[in-house]
Amino acid sequence: MRILVPYDGAEQARKALDHAVERYGDGEIVLLYVQDLVAAGYEASPGAALPGYWKEWYEEAQTEAEQLFEEAQARVDVDLETESVVGRPERAIVEYVDDNPVDAVVIGSHGRSGVSRILLGSVAETVVRRSPVPVTVVR
């Protein structure tokens, strides 16, 4: 089995990784870090127009991804594959599943409900609805 775990270092992502290792530890586990351009644009606002901003942002995001992957590898006793992509998290995760051999997704969820979920959206919910493979949501 080849299992995809979207990974951003948050507690929910760590729980998803732990679950994936416990359940599918004898398979291949792939961590996917998504560099969110939209979030970067909101954070940068005026600075985004400066020459070189996006290159610097991309390099910093790559460095962050590598650090998160190293921390994740240190947490578990199985070898992890790692991938980093740029895009909206919910779309990038589903596109990765569409374009790569993946048997299942294990994703963490913040467990929001009600108005906060409506206003903020839910990456996990979107992945559950759009993924062509089974998705396990870990809280």
Side-chain angles (χ1 to χ4, degrees):
M1 295 268 310
R2 186 171 164 89
I3 308 303
L4 181 67
V5 180
Y7 197 81
D8 63 1
E11 179 182 350
Q12 294 81 6
R14 291 191 305 268
K15 287 179 180 180
L17 174 59
D18 292 344
H19 179 80
V21 168
E22 182 181 310
R23 178 95 163 95
Y24 304 103
D26 57 343
E28 297 175 36
I29 297 176
V30 180
L31 297 187
L32 179 68
Y33 179 82
V34 180
Q35 302 167 15
D36 188 350
L37 279 173
V38 174
Y42 283 125
E43 292 170 5
S45 296
L50 297 175
Y53 171 79
W54 291 107
K55 181 180 180 193
E56 183 179 321
W57 169 83
Y58 178 78
E59 290 171 356
E60 287 176 8
Q62 283 294 107
T63 299
E64 179 181 356
E66 290 303 319
Q67 290 171 343
L68 289 173
F69 292 154
E70 288 174 13
E71 291 169 7
Q73 184 61 72
R75 288 177 53 81
V76 298
D77 292 330
V78 299
D79 288 333
L80 301 171
E81 293 181 38
T82 59
E83 292 284 340
S84 180
V85 297
V86 176
R88 293 289 299 157
E90 56 277 7
R91 283 188 184 161
I93 294 164
V94 173
E95 286 174 6
Y96 186 89
V97 171
D98 285 339
D99 297 341
N100 295 276
V102 173
D103 297 304
V105 176
V106 177
I107 188 169
S109 173
H110 291 276
R112 292 185 183 104
S113 61
V115 174
S116 67
R117 186 170 144 260
I118 292 168
L119 294 175
L120 299 174
S122 172
V123 171
E125 179 188 9
T126 301
V127 171
V128 166
R129 284 188 287 117
R130 296 186 179 165
S131 175
V133 300
V135 178
T136 300
V137 178
V138 178
R139 286 192 184 179

